[in-house]
Amino acid sequence: MTTNFHVIIPARMSSTRLPNKMLADVCGLPLIIRVAHQSLKSQATSVTVATDDSKIYKVCQEYGLNVIMTAIKHQSGTDRIAEAAQKLNLASNEIIVNVQGDEPLIAPELINQLAAFIATKNTPIATIAHAINSTEEIFNPNVVKVVLDNNNIALYFSRAPIPYYRDGYTKTEISLSTQIDVLRHIGIYAYKVEFLNLYANLLPCNLEQIEALEQLRAIYYGHKIAVMQADQAPAAGVDTLADLERVRTIIANQV
């Protein structure tokens, strides 16, 4: 049975590591258009870009995409999606999948799987993680880690190496066995609209601001996040110029 859901792509221009990346050329198409086209290959009922930038808005219109202008003040993509959901007048029981605006290689099947996953869970949010198998990634603060309980509900997300293996957890020597279970969080989310309406009124918390991880706001206020474990890592997004060049090469080779 197909799960009914909508995709909303938050897109802002103010990226510090790669300025104006939403409109960066990726083999003839702006990055945000590549992401939207991938999302349109999913089973989503609709795909909408939510932005605070007039240039992104205009480009999306030129390519015939659904696009909504949202406030500049939003501190996170989830805040922006919450406003977009209200403007779309979506029912409280509908599902939204948040596809990041810098994920041009996102697999449509992964979007479908996450929507189906949250439909079976009694949680307002769901996301994805996969096992880390390199020491470098575990200690890399740009790689977000997550720890789960026995029901695959997130206990905590961090840029630090969690869980910390006291008796053998060093940068040069680590045992990736059943003794530890290190999971990398993938920044794609599914929400129930009812929760987004609530989230918009929650004040940002210190943990969220210290770690720069918006999902910690939900956990701080007692909301559960179900985590679907993927067998392998999805394709990485675009955060730096090197990432952009890598994605260009991959897409060029697909043509």
Side-chain angles (χ1 to χ4, degrees), residues 7-123:
V7 167
I8 298 181
I9 306 168
R12 62 189 183 94
M13 194 69 86
S14 55
S15 170
T16 55
R17 284 182 289 181
L18 186 59
N20 301 321
K21 73 175 179 179
M22 288 293 106
L23 299 182
D25 179 80
V26 181
C27 300
L29 289 176
L31 176 63
I32 186 62
I33 304 303
R34 287 280 180 190
V35 177
H37 284 180
Q38 282 296 99
S39 300
L40 285 166
K41 296 175 185 177
S42 74
Q43 297 172 341
T45 301
S46 68
V47 173
T48 303
V49 175
T51 187
D52 62 356
D53 185 89
S54 59
K55 292 181 180 178
I56 294 175
Y57 186 91
K58 182 179 179 181
V59 166
C60 289
Q61 283 192 317
E62 289 173 354
Y63 282 90
L65 297 173
N66 295 332
V67 58
I68 288 178
M69 184 67 77
T70 54
I72 297 176
K73 64 179 182 179
H74 294 309
Q75 296 193 29
S76 72
T78 304
D79 291 303
R80 193 171 309 286
I81 286 175
E83 181 187 351
Q86 291 179 345
K87 288 187 172 181
L88 290 170
N89 294 316
L90 299 178
S92 61
N93 64 340
E94 292 197 73
I95 292 171
I96 290 176
V97 175
N98 170 357
V99 174
Q100 303 295 331
D102 55 8
E103 297 280 351
L105 301 177
I106 187 74
E109 296 80 8
L110 196 65
I111 299 173
N112 298 335
Q113 289 167 10
L114 185 58
F117 179 73
I118 195 173
T120 67
K121 301 296 176 182
N122 188 28
T123 64

Side-chain angles (χ1 to χ4, degrees), residues 94-203:
E94 292 197 73
I95 292 171
I96 290 176
V97 175
N98 170 357
V99 174
Q100 303 295 331
D102 55 8
E103 297 280 351
L105 301 177
I106 187 74
E109 296 80 8
L110 196 65
I111 299 173
N112 298 335
Q113 289 167 10
L114 185 58
F117 179 73
I118 195 173
T120 67
K121 301 296 176 182
N122 188 28
T123 64
I125 315 172
T127 190
I128 297 174
H130 70 88
I132 296 176
N133 55 17
S134 105
T135 307
E136 181 181 356
E137 286 191 336
I138 291 173
F139 285 90
N140 183 348
N142 293 320
V143 174
V144 179
K145 277 69 68 173
V146 59
V147 173
L148 311 180
D149 69 11
N150 67 340
N151 292 313
N152 288 324
I153 302 299
L155 293 172
Y156 192 67
F157 296 83
S158 181
R159 298 182 182 279
I162 57 172
Y164 194 88
Y165 183 28
R166 186 196 67 175
D167 296 327
Y169 216 43
T170 70
K171 285 191 175 184
T172 56
E173 184 177 340
I174 184 170
S175 173
L176 292 176
S177 66
T178 55
Q179 293 175 296
I180 57 173
D181 188 12
V182 186
L183 296 174
R184 176 177 186 166
H185 174 235
I186 303 301
I188 178 174
Y189 301 91
Y191 315 95
K192 308 284 180 60
V193 170
E194 182 178 21
F195 169 75
L196 285 172
N197 294 335
L198 174 65
Y199 185 92
N201 295 311
L202 296 177
L203 293 175

Side-chain angles (χ1 to χ4, degrees), residues 94 224 248:
E94 292 197 73
K224 294 182 177 181
R248 285 170 172 164

